[in-house]
Amino acid sequence: MQAVDLSHPVVSGMQVFPGDPAVHIRNAASVEADGFQVAELHLGSHTGTHLDAPLHTVPGGAAVDELPLENLLGSARIVSVPGAADLDRIQWQDVAAGLEGLLPGTIVLFSTGWSEHFNTPRYLRHPSFDAEIAERLVDAGVRLVGVDTLNPDPTPAPGSGGVPSLPFHDVFLGAGGGIIENLTNLAAVTWSDPLFSALPLRLAGVDGSPIRAAAFQL
């Protein structure tokens, strides 16, 4: 079996969506003082590589512990979107060829290469995905989609205020699907139809969870 880790490491001070809780990790117990080591974690439900559940933007939507596990593990299609620039809006015609022959239940992962900017100000200027893409994926029977950016929708600049516009989220989460954000290392998956896993913590009634996303060649 070959495995590729598609997750960013979770570390203190790492980049988060503007306004989200900062990440702090410290040792709460040590082997020297207590006979065992335990870490204390402070982080938001959308820290690092994570899964958005419908509850994230849909009032009364499913929480992360209510998403069917079979929707979060399966055959994936990685769609490359080369050449995307700062604040670009990726349109259906930019990804249509990579989605031909898509079977219902396939997990779709968009690879823009933007993860190389993670932990820099430029990461917030990522390309976004037009809501028509979400509509067509839902119509094709896709239940899980992932991006190697902070957000499939545009991310507001820090301090800009107001309620962000989230049309991709509204369509895809509104249909009961899940969205994975902050994927990385997708270019290292060099084989077709990888087995992809995006299992979250079983956080009861919560809107999302960090995940250890990975691709496997069996």
Side-chain angles (χ1 to χ4, degrees), residues 68 70-77 92 99 101-108 132-145 171-172 175-178:
E70 57 267 26
N71 290 356
L72 308 176
L73 174 70
S75 179
R77 175 84 62 90
W92 170 251
L99 293 168
L102 195 66
L103 297 176
T106 301
I107 298 167
V108 174
E132 182 186 1
I133 298 173
E135 293 167 356
R136 289 180 177 262
L137 292 178
V138 168
D139 290 344
V142 174
R143 307 298 293 169
L144 185 66
V145 63
V171 172
F172 204 83

Coordinates of all heavy atoms in Angstrom, one line a residue, residues 68 70-77 92 99 101-108 132-145 171-172 175-178:
P68 N -22.8 10.7 7.1 CA -22.5 9.2 6.9 C -21.1 8.9 6.6 O -20.4 9.6 5.7 CB -23.4 8.9 5.7 CG -24.4 9.9 5.6 CD -23.7 11.2 6.1
E70 N -19.7 6.6 5.1 CA -19.5 6.1 3.7 C -19.3 7.2 2.7 O -18.8 7.0 1.6 CB -20.6 5.2 3.3 CG -22.0 5.7 3.3 CD -22.7 5.5 4.6 OE1 -22.0 5.3 5.7 OE2 -24.0 5.4 4.6
N71 N -19.8 8.4 3.1 CA -19.6 9.6 2.2 C -18.2 10.2 2.4 O -17.8 11.0 1.5 CB -20.6 10.7 2.5 CG -22.0 10.3 2.1 OD1 -22.2 9.3 1.5 ND2 -22.9 11.2 2.4
L72 N -17.4 9.8 3.4 CA -16.1 10.4 3.7 C -15.0 9.5 3.4 O -13.8 9.9 3.7 CB -16.1 10.8 5.2 CG -17.3 11.6 5.7 CD1 -17.2 11.8 7.2 CD2 -17.4 12.9 5.0
L73 N -15.2 8.4 2.8 CA -14.2 7.4 2.4 C -14.5 6.8 1.1 O -15.6 6.3 1.0 CB -14.0 6.4 3.5 CG -13.0 5.2 3.2 CD1 -11.6 5.7 3.3 CD2 -13.2 4.1 4.2
G74 N -13.7 6.9 0.1 CA -14.0 6.3 -1.2 C -13.1 6.7 -2.3 O -12.1 7.4 -2.1
S75 N -13.4 6.3 -3.5 CA -12.7 6.7 -4.7 C -12.7 8.2 -5.0 O -13.8 8.7 -4.9 CB -13.2 5.9 -5.9 OG -12.4 6.2 -7.0
A76 N -11.6 8.7 -5.3 CA -11.5 10.2 -5.5 C -11.1 10.5 -6.9 O -10.3 9.7 -7.5 CB -10.6 10.9 -4.5
R77 N -11.5 11.6 -7.4 CA -11.0 12.2 -8.7 C -10.3 13.5 -8.3 O -10.9 14.5 -7.8 CB -12.2 12.5 -9.6 CG -11.9 13.2 -10.9 CD -11.4 12.3 -12.0 NE -12.4 11.3 -12.3 CZ -13.3 11.5 -13.3 NH1 -13.3 12.6 -14.0 NH2 -14.2 10.5 -13.6
W92 N -16.9 26.7 -14.4 CA -17.2 25.4 -14.8 C -16.4 24.9 -15.9 O -15.8 23.8 -15.9 CB -18.7 25.2 -15.1 CG -19.0 23.9 -15.7 CD1 -19.4 23.6 -17.0 CD2 -18.9 22.6 -15.0 NE1 -19.5 22.3 -17.2 CE2 -19.3 21.6 -16.0 CE3 -18.6 22.2 -13.8 CZ2 -19.3 20.2 -15.7 CZ3 -18.6 20.8 -13.5 CH2 -19.0 19.9 -14.5
L99 N -13.8 16.4 -15.2 CA -14.9 15.8 -14.5 C -15.7 14.9 -15.4 O -16.8 14.4 -15.0 CB -15.8 16.8 -13.8 CG -15.1 17.6 -12.7 CD1 -15.9 18.8 -12.3 CD2 -14.9 16.7 -11.5
G101 N -17.3 11.8 -17.2 CA -17.5 10.4 -16.8 C -17.5 10.2 -15.3 O -17.3 9.1 -14.8
L102 N -17.8 11.3 -14.6 CA -17.9 11.2 -13.1 C -19.0 10.3 -12.6 O -20.2 10.5 -13.0 CB -18.0 12.6 -12.5 CG -17.7 12.8 -11.1 CD1 -16.2 12.6 -10.8 CD2 -18.1 14.2 -10.6
L103 N -18.7 9.3 -11.7 CA -19.7 8.5 -11.2 C -20.3 9.0 -9.9 O -19.6 9.7 -9.1 CB -19.1 7.1 -10.9 CG -18.6 6.3 -12.2 CD1 -18.0 5.0 -11.7 CD2 -19.7 6.0 -13.2
P104 N -21.6 8.8 -9.6 CA -22.2 9.2 -8.4 C -21.4 8.7 -7.2 O -20.9 7.5 -7.2 CB -23.6 8.7 -8.4 CG -23.9 8.5 -9.9 CD -22.6 8.1 -10.5
G105 N -21.2 9.5 -6.2 CA -20.4 9.1 -5.0 C -19.0 9.3 -5.1 O -18.3 9.1 -4.1
T106 N -18.4 9.7 -6.2 CA -17.0 10.0 -6.3 C -16.7 11.2 -5.5 O -17.4 12.2 -5.5 CB -16.6 10.2 -7.8 OG1 -16.9 9.0 -8.6 CG2 -15.1 10.5 -7.9
I107 N -15.6 11.2 -4.8 CA -15.1 12.3 -4.1 C -14.2 13.2 -5.0 O -13.3 12.7 -5.7 CB -14.3 11.9 -2.9 CG1 -15.1 11.1 -1.9 CG2 -13.6 13.1 -2.1 CD1 -14.4 10.3 -0.8
V108 N -14.5 14.5 -5.1 CA -13.8 15.3 -6.0 C -12.9 16.3 -5.3 O -13.3 17.0 -4.3 CB -14.8 16.2 -6.9 CG1 -14.1 17.2 -7.7 CG2 -15.6 15.2 -7.8
E132 N -21.7 27.5 -9.8 CA -22.2 26.5 -10.8 C -21.5 25.2 -10.7 O -22.0 24.1 -10.9 CB -22.0 27.1 -12.2 CG -22.5 26.2 -13.3 CD -22.2 26.6 -14.7 OE1 -21.6 27.7 -14.9 OE2 -22.6 25.9 -15.7
I133 N -20.2 25.2 -10.3 CA -19.4 24.0 -10.1 C -20.1 23.2 -9.0 O -20.3 22.0 -9.1 CB -18.0 24.3 -9.8 CG1 -17.3 25.0 -10.9 CG2 -17.2 23.0 -9.4 CD1 -15.9 25.5 -10.6
A134 N -20.4 23.8 -7.9 CA -21.1 23.1 -6.8 C -22.4 22.5 -7.3 O -22.8 21.4 -7.0 CB -21.4 24.1 -5.6
E135 N -23.2 23.3 -8.0 CA -24.5 22.8 -8.6 C -24.3 21.6 -9.4 O -25.1 20.6 -9.3 CB -25.2 23.9 -9.3 CG -25.6 25.1 -8.5 CD -26.0 26.3 -9.3 OE1 -25.8 26.3 -10.6 OE2 -26.4 27.4 -8.7
R136 N -23.3 21.6 -10.3 CA -23.1 20.5 -11.2 C -22.6 19.2 -10.5 O -23.0 18.1 -10.8 CB -22.2 20.9 -12.3 CG -22.8 21.8 -13.4 CD -21.9 22.2 -14.5 NE -22.5 23.1 -15.5 CZ -22.9 22.6 -16.6 NH1 -22.9 21.3 -16.9 NH2 -23.4 23.5 -17.5
L137 N -21.8 19.5 -9.5 CA -21.3 18.3 -8.7 C -22.5 17.7 -7.9 O -22.6 16.4 -7.8 CB -20.2 18.8 -7.7 CG -18.9 19.2 -8.3 CD1 -18.0 19.7 -7.2 CD2 -18.3 18.1 -9.1
V138 N -23.3 18.5 -7.3 CA -24.5 18.0 -6.6 C -25.4 17.2 -7.6 O -25.8 16.1 -7.3 CB -25.3 19.1 -5.9 CG1 -26.7 18.6 -5.5 CG2 -24.5 19.7 -4.8
D139 N -25.6 17.7 -8.8 CA -26.4 17.0 -9.8 C -25.8 15.7 -10.2 O -26.5 14.8 -10.6 CB -26.6 17.9 -11.0 CG -27.5 19.1 -10.7 OD1 -28.2 19.1 -9.7 OD2 -27.5 20.1 -11.5
A140 N -24.5 15.6 -10.1 CA -23.8 14.4 -10.5 C -23.7 13.4 -9.4 O -23.2 12.3 -9.6 CB -22.3 14.7 -11.0
G141 N -24.2 13.7 -8.2 CA -24.2 12.8 -7.1 C -23.0 12.8 -6.3 O -22.7 11.9 -5.5
V142 N -22.2 13.9 -6.3 CA -21.0 14.0 -5.5 C -21.5 14.5 -4.1 O -22.3 15.4 -4.0 CB -20.0 15.1 -6.1 CG1 -18.9 15.4 -5.2 CG2 -19.5 14.5 -7.5
R143 N -21.0 13.9 -3.1 CA -21.3 14.2 -1.7 C -20.2 14.8 -0.9 O -20.4 15.3 0.2 CB -21.8 12.9 -1.0 CG -22.9 12.2 -1.7 CD -24.2 13.0 -1.9 NE -24.8 13.3 -0.6 CZ -25.8 14.2 -0.4 NH1 -26.2 14.9 -1.4 NH2 -26.3 14.3 0.8
L144 N -19.0 14.8 -1.5 CA -17.8 15.3 -0.7 C -16.9 16.0 -1.8 O -16.5 15.3 -2.8 CB -17.1 14.2 0.0 CG -15.9 14.7 0.9 CD1 -16.4 15.5 2.1 CD2 -15.2 13.4 1.5
V145 N -16.5 17.2 -1.5 CA -15.6 17.9 -2.4 C -14.5 18.6 -1.5 O -14.8 18.9 -0.4 CB -16.4 19.0 -3.2 CG1 -17.0 20.1 -2.3 CG2 -15.5 19.7 -4.2
V171 N -24.7 26.2 -1.7 CA -25.2 25.1 -2.6 C -24.8 23.7 -2.1 O -25.7 22.9 -2.0 CB -24.7 25.3 -4.1 CG1 -25.0 24.1 -5.0 CG2 -25.2 26.6 -4.7
F172 N -23.5 23.5 -1.9 CA -23.0 22.2 -1.6 C -23.5 21.7 -0.2 O -24.0 20.6 0.0 CB -21.5 22.1 -1.8 CG -21.1 20.7 -2.1 CD1 -21.1 20.2 -3.4 CD2 -20.6 19.8 -1.1 CE1 -20.7 18.9 -3.7 CE2 -20.2 18.6 -1.4 CZ -20.3 18.1 -2.7
A175 N -27.1 21.0 0.1 CA -27.6 19.7 -0.5 C -27.2 18.6 0.5 O -27.4 17.4 0.1 CB -27.0 19.5 -1.8
G176 N -26.6 18.9 1.6 CA -26.3 17.8 2.6 C -24.9 17.3 2.4 O -24.5 16.3 3.1
G177 N -24.1 17.9 1.5 CA -22.7 17.4 1.3 C -21.7 17.9 2.3 O -22.1 18.7 3.3
G178 N -20.5 17.6 2.2 CA -19.4 18.0 3.0 C -18.3 18.7 2.2 O -18.1 18.3 1.0

